[in-house]
Amino acid sequence: MSRTPRAVAATREAVVVRVSGPTATLWVEGEEREARLRPRMPGGPAVAGDRVLLRPSDADAAAPTVIGVAPRTTVLERGERPGGKPRAIVANADLVVIMAAAADPPLSARLIDRYLVAAEVGGMEAAVVVTKIDLPHDAAELDALLGVYRDIGYPVLTGVAREPALAAAVRDLIDGRTAVLAGHSGVGKSTLTRGLTGVQRAVGAVSEKAGTGRHTTSDPRVIPMPGGGAVVDTAGVRTFHLPAMDRARLEAGFPEIAAAARGCRFRGCAHDGDAGCAVEGAVSDERLASYRRILATMR
């Protein structure tokens, strides 16, 4: 890599670029270095984007040892199962760019909603990018769905991943920050990463049998963008489970529901047909149904 992400350069700390088993690639004083990860270290396990502590005697060694993880400002987490134990994926990012396709694989609003919750509760901004709009799809249905997210206040972009126009629009959206690209396999994350960074990542096709993309990126990696900022290209998923969280935290993951809930008659309203609920009719039916589905997995 020829450039260091702004956040990395500003801290002048060792920052995790990529984790691979018991080792990691780090940015140390503007250079990439390989390091060993100490098992069961404080704040760990380390993930891409973490600021980490090196054993002092190893600071200038060829293969230093990471002995601890600094407190995170933000974190993108998933559950091993619905409502399961949280597992960190990326740390200290500013923005989650949730990618979906207009077709091939089919767009999943449920997946988008779960990523939006993960971004909100993890302290990051979020945006939705829909690719493959050059493929046959129901334009009216797509516009209606994306209108729901625009009305909430999320930035929404559409385009074709391989075309420079979409990369330029996403680069403007990132605006020198660190952004996580997340979503289904086969929606163009690696293609867009190449357009943003110039770095080639494996690009795969969509499985005809499953109707979803094949995994091509196996590990999150922080990749700087020319001119500032960075992207973290994450592994494509078929599903994304949220970790366990209480109802108040889940509600905060739906900002329009949290805002409407201030008008509920009773404190602790679950927005599930309760008397005096101010949420029903104030938010989209689709988003309220999504909230209720996720809430059911947390009980």
Side-chain angles (χ1 to χ4, degrees), residues 64-84:
T65 299
V66 175
I67 60 172
V69 176
R72 295 161 174 160
T73 58
T74 67
V75 62
L76 179 65
E77 294 180 323
R78 66 176 300 171
E80 296 297 337
R81 56 180 176 78

Side-chain angles (χ1 to χ4, degrees), residues 29-269:
E29 297 296 327
E31 296 181 351
E32 274 199 10
R33 301 270 290 280
E34 297 304 309
R36 298 182 294 269
L37 298 172
R38 191 174 78 178
R40 297 180 296 279
M41 60 187 166
V47 297
D50 266 323
R51 298 178 177 88
V52 295
L53 307 175
L54 302 180
R55 190 161 59 198
S57 61
D58 285 354
D60 298 317
T65 299
V66 175
I67 60 172
V69 176
R72 295 161 174 160
T73 58
T74 67
V75 62
L76 179 65
E77 294 180 323
R78 66 176 300 171
E80 296 297 337
R81 56 180 176 78
K85 183 179 179 181
R87 180 172 68 84
I89 303 170
V90 179
N92 303 316
D94 304 294
L95 171 71
V96 180
V97 177
I98 303 155
M99 295 185 61
D104 191 35
L107 187 148
S108 170
R110 293 187 182 187
L111 184 69
I112 293 173
D113 286 343
R114 289 193 290 270
Y115 269 117
L116 287 173
V117 170
E120 293 281 355
V121 302
M124 293 159 286
E125 295 180 24
V128 178
V129 172
V130 176
T131 63
K132 300 189 179 182
I133 61 168
D134 55 332
L135 298 182
H137 65 278
D138 189 324
E141 181 179 343
L142 179 63
D143 286 345
L145 173 63
L146 298 184
V148 171
Y149 298 117
R150 290 190 179 101
D151 289 345
I152 298 168
Y154 291 116
V156 175
L157 299 174
T158 61
V160 179
R162 66 178 179 274
E163 293 183 354
L166 183 60
V170 174
R171 187 179 296 108
D172 289 344
L173 178 68
I174 295 172
D175 191 26
R177 299 175 293 172
T178 297
V180 181
L181 304 187
H184 267 153
S185 300
V187 298
K189 292 188 302 299
S190 294
T191 299
L192 184 59
T193 296
R194 183 175 65 240
L196 291 168
T197 68
V199 175
Q200 177 70 47
R201 296 277 269 174
V203 177
V206 173
S207 165
E208 293 182 6
K209 181 178 180 181
T212 58
R214 298 186 180 93
H215 295 270
T216 54
T217 301
S218 60
D219 56 279
R221 183 183 181 100
V222 181
I223 307 175
M225 296 192 302
V231 296
V232 186
D233 185 16
T234 63
V237 299
R238 289 194 175 94
T239 188
F240 179 82
H241 298 308
L242 287 169
M245 64 184 72
D246 60 26
R247 184 189 54 77
R249 197 171 189 218
L250 175 61
E251 184 180 288
F254 287 80
E256 78 279 28
I257 292 178
R262 299 189 189 106
C264 289
R265 183 183 305 171
F266 301 108
R267 185 176 181 180
C269 178

